Amino acid sequence: MADNGSPLFNLIGGEVTMGKNDVTPKRNKPKILTKYEQFVVPRLKDIPIWVREGLTDEEIAKRLNIHIWTLGDYRRKHPKFAEALERPTKWETHVYPRLGEIQQWFQEGMNAEDIIVKLGIGKTTWYEYIDKHPMLAELVKWSRSVTISRVENSLLKAALGYEYEEIKTIVEEDKNGKKRTRIEKVKRHQPPNPTAMIFYLKNRAPNEWNDRREIIVDTKALEQQRKQLFLDMIEADVIEAEGELLEESVAVDDGFEEPDEDVQ
């Protein structure tokens, strides 16, 4: 017969009892899932797709069956959720895919304000992207230089004059009423444009061709002249004063002696 500490069953009055040290198995309580785990985690892969489709935060919250405030709270608490909600910048959607078009627009002579309107971005955003993205800054700089070079070449061409070919299409009708087309090419000469010549020279050689002339004054030389003139004036005054004093000392008649004023 087993003792009290034995795990064996004891038969008492036909009933089966267990010993004192016998351990009864405990059942695990089911885990309670949060709303984030229930509604958000299973759809983390869908959220970036919704963002690319242009859904707003309110629309995404509705699809997740959560409140918009809850969405904001989850965004702060869960980095993976915040990353999934991250939206592409206008650089990625509006500017970068159209760099080739931007280059072409600049070469056609379009200004930055018109290009900004075509891209659908703000003026501040445009200049911010130029500062942040060197490829855009270089593209703008290069495109403008190409345009300026083309204009300069055209200006020089107009200033020097040039030859060109004029093409005329002539429709002729013979005696039988049949029409035939004849292309006539005539060489023309465009004489130099005086306005273009003046403009080009004033900008390319301003020192020789500008209307304004700068007068350079040598202040050091003028200062020396003023000093010399001052010294000459002082010397002239001294000579004149000595001459007047000499005349006063000899102004006495012969045989007469002026009385002393102090004598009574």
Side-chain angles (χ1 to χ4, degrees):
M1 187 174 178
D3 57 9
N4 293 335
S6 173
L8 298 177
F9 292 107
N10 296 321
L11 296 174
I12 303 175
E15 296 179 358
V16 179
T17 61
M18 299 184 66
K20 295 180 180 179
N21 297 331
D22 295 336
V23 179
T24 57
K26 295 181 179 179
R27 295 181 181 178
N28 293 329
K29 294 182 179 180
K31 183 181 179 181
I32 301 175
L33 297 177
T34 63
K35 282 187 177 182
Y36 179 78
E37 293 170 331
Q38 290 180 42
F39 302 115
V40 179
V41 173
R43 311 203 70 178
L44 278 176
K45 293 183 179 180
D46 298 328
I47 296 172
I49 299 174
W50 298 340
V51 170
R52 287 196 296 269
E53 291 175 353
L55 269 67
T56 63
D57 286 354
E58 289 79 2
E59 292 170 335
I60 292 175
K62 188 178 292 185
R63 289 197 179 187
L64 294 174
N65 295 320
I66 60 176
H67 196 275
I68 183 61
W69 293 349
T70 307
L71 183 142
D73 184 51
Y74 288 166
R75 191 202 298 266
R76 291 188 295 271
K77 291 180 179 178
H78 303 284
K80 288 186 178 180
F81 182 57
E83 184 179 352
L85 285 172
E86 189 174 349
R87 300 180 183 277
T89 63
K90 286 192 174 182
W91 163 258
E92 298 170 322
T93 58
H94 290 63
V95 180
Y96 181 74
R98 308 187 73 181
L99 289 178
E101 293 178 83
I102 294 172
Q103 179 179 347
Q104 183 179 354
W105 293 336
F106 270 119
Q107 291 178 350
E108 291 173 356
M110 193 175 294
N111 56 39
E113 287 73 14
D114 294 334
I115 291 175
I116 290 171
V117 173
K118 278 184 169 289
L119 294 175
I121 62 176
K123 193 173 182 179
T124 304
T125 305
W126 167 258
Y127 290 108
E128 179 184 344
Y129 289 161
I130 289 178
D131 293 336
K132 286 185 177 180
H133 303 284
M135 64 173 64
L136 178 61
E138 288 297 324
L139 174 62
V140 172
K141 183 179 178 181
W142 178 83
S143 300
R144 285 178 175 173
S145 66
V146 170
T147 303
I148 291 172
S149 178
R150 290 174 60 187
V151 172
E152 287 177 345
N153 292 335
S154 298
L155 178 63
L156 179 60
K157 185 178 178 181
L160 299 176
Y162 57 92
E163 304 287 339
Y164 67 98
E165 194 174 65
E166 187 179 88
I167 300 176
K168 292 183 178 180
T169 303
I170 303 173
V171 179
E172 297 177 335
E173 187 175 348
D174 59 13
K175 295 179 180 180
N176 299 323
K178 290 184 178 181
K179 294 182 180 180
R180 64 176 183 176
T181 302
R182 179 170 59 88
I183 296 176
E184 184 178 273
K185 295 181 180 180
V186 181
K187 286 188 176 180
R188 302 288 186 185
H189 174 72
Q190 180 67 35
N193 187 320
T195 304
M197 294 168 65
I198 294 170
F199 188 84
Y200 189 90
L201 290 172
K202 282 187 175 183
N203 283 273
R204 285 298 188 179
N207 294 333
E208 293 83 4
W209 292 96
N210 266 354
D211 295 333
R212 295 175 60 185
R213 292 287 183 269
E214 294 183 359
I215 300 175
I216 300 175
V217 179
D218 189 352
T219 56
K220 187 176 181 181
L222 290 178
E223 184 65 23
Q224 292 294 334
Q225 291 179 7
R226 284 196 296 270
K227 286 182 179 179
Q228 187 61 45
L229 179 61
F230 180 70
L231 292 174
D232 293 343
M233 291 173 61
I234 293 176
E235 187 176 356
D237 289 343
V238 170
I239 293 173
E240 185 178 355
E242 288 178 350
E244 291 176 355
L245 183 60
L246 182 61
E247 290 175 358
E248 290 178 359
S249 62
V250 297
V252 178
D253 294 335
D254 291 338
F256 179 79
E257 186 174 348
E258 283 189 0
D260 192 354
E261 292 180 358
D262 294 333
V263 179
Q264 296 292 329

